[in-house]
Amino acid sequence: MLIETHGEQLICLPEHALFWPRQLTLFVADVHLGKAASFRAAGVAVPSGHSSFDLDRLSQLLTLHKAARFVILGDLVHTETSYTEALDRHFRTFRAQHRDIEMVLVRGNHDRHAGEAPAEWGLKAVAEPYALGPFQCCHEPDAAQGKGFELAGHLHPALRVQTAREGITLPCFWQHARGMVLPAFGSLTGKLSVRLKQGESAVVVAGQQLFRRHYQE
């Protein structure tokens, strides 16, 4: 679904990613690689495999859209214990497949606690807000303090869709007065229900379908 703002076009993708065609830039937020390993280290039995699955999803998107730049809007890695040998191996393979793509990590709260990613991952780690054209790339909403159109993550936004008899909460791209909050990309993440305020809207993800919802009194 196409979004036009500040003289630029952005495309919301059903894979929970945002694409900026003119700059061949793919944005995602809240990947949370290694979350299952972190849970297992804490004694909670969680199946493995989500990190390699999510890296494969990213790889397909980067290839499909011929991206030249990849921007992660925070929380690439879940915790310090997420940095396992398996994750390191998977990410190095992923990076080798896309060695010519610039990869930028806007540090999120989980990234700061997890520590720096290995140099071999080839990431440019930056603090928020990170200016890119008319956009301010952040992890937490409002980090740009009103300067430019904000692209953020952190909240894992979702919208409750209701019929007369039942309802379901679906991930969404939440558009507010200052910018947009992307849905979480990671397959092992939760969701936060948001309520649209006046002037706000959402692009809701229902599988491979997208539809727009506006504020209603």
Side-chain angles (χ1 to χ4, degrees):
M1 185 171 289
L2 186 66
I3 304 294
E4 295 189 2
T5 182
H6 288 67
E8 298 287 349
Q9 293 184 333
L10 298 170
I11 301 175
C12 297
L13 302 173
E15 294 84 2
H16 299 193
L18 186 70
F19 187 59
W20 183 12
R22 192 175 70 81
Q23 289 293 322
L24 296 178
T25 299
L26 185 77
F27 300 92
V28 301
D30 302 288
V31 186
H32 289 274
L33 295 175
K35 185 172 182 178
S38 177
F39 271 67
R40 289 195 299 274
V44 180
V46 177
S48 61
H50 80 95
S51 294
S52 59
F53 173 71
D54 288 340
L55 286 172
D56 285 345
R57 292 169 57 217
L58 285 173
S59 185
Q60 291 168 13
L61 285 172
L62 293 170
T63 300
L64 176 64
H65 296 283
K66 298 180 174 61
R69 183 190 294 120
F70 175 42
V71 180
I72 305 123
L73 301 172
D75 289 1
L76 172 64
V77 174
H78 191 63
T79 65
E80 186 177 8
T81 55
S82 299
Y83 283 114
T84 62
E85 290 184 10
L87 177 58
D88 184 48
R89 183 172 64 255
H90 289 314
F91 200 95
R92 291 190 192 208
T93 299
F94 164 77
R95 194 64 177 98
Q97 292 170 343
H98 306 286
R99 59 173 57 89
D100 296 328
I101 296 178
E102 178 188 7
M103 296 193 181
V104 179
L105 170 62
V106 181
R107 293 187 188 92
N109 54 302
H110 280 266
D111 301 303
R112 291 191 291 270
H113 288 108
E116 295 293 329
E120 292 79 7
W121 287 20
L123 298 172
K124 176 183 177 182
V126 298
E128 59 181 352
Y130 175 68
L132 200 59
F135 306 118
Q136 293 290 326
C137 303
C138 308
H139 177 59
E140 299 193 24
D142 296 328
Q145 299 181 345
K147 300 175 183 177
F149 189 87
E150 187 178 87
L151 299 177
H154 186 55
L155 297 181
H156 306 193
L159 197 70
R160 182 75 175 172
V161 179
Q162 194 76 37
T163 69
R165 300 183 61 181
E166 58 186 352
I168 187 172
T169 301
L170 296 171
C172 70
F173 297 81
W174 173 33
Q175 294 178 255
H176 54 83
R178 300 169 304 285
M180 175 187 289
V181 182
L182 275 64
F185 184 85
S187 57
L188 197 62
T189 55
K191 297 189 289 288
L192 175 69
S193 292
V194 296
R195 290 196 173 200
L196 299 180
K197 299 177 182 177
Q198 189 168 6
E200 296 181 350
S201 64
V203 175
V204 182
V205 183
Q208 288 297 305
Q209 302 295 318
L210 299 174
F211 61 92
R212 189 184 293 276
R213 282 293 172 97
H214 295 276
Y215 166 79
Q216 294 180 330
E217 294 185 5

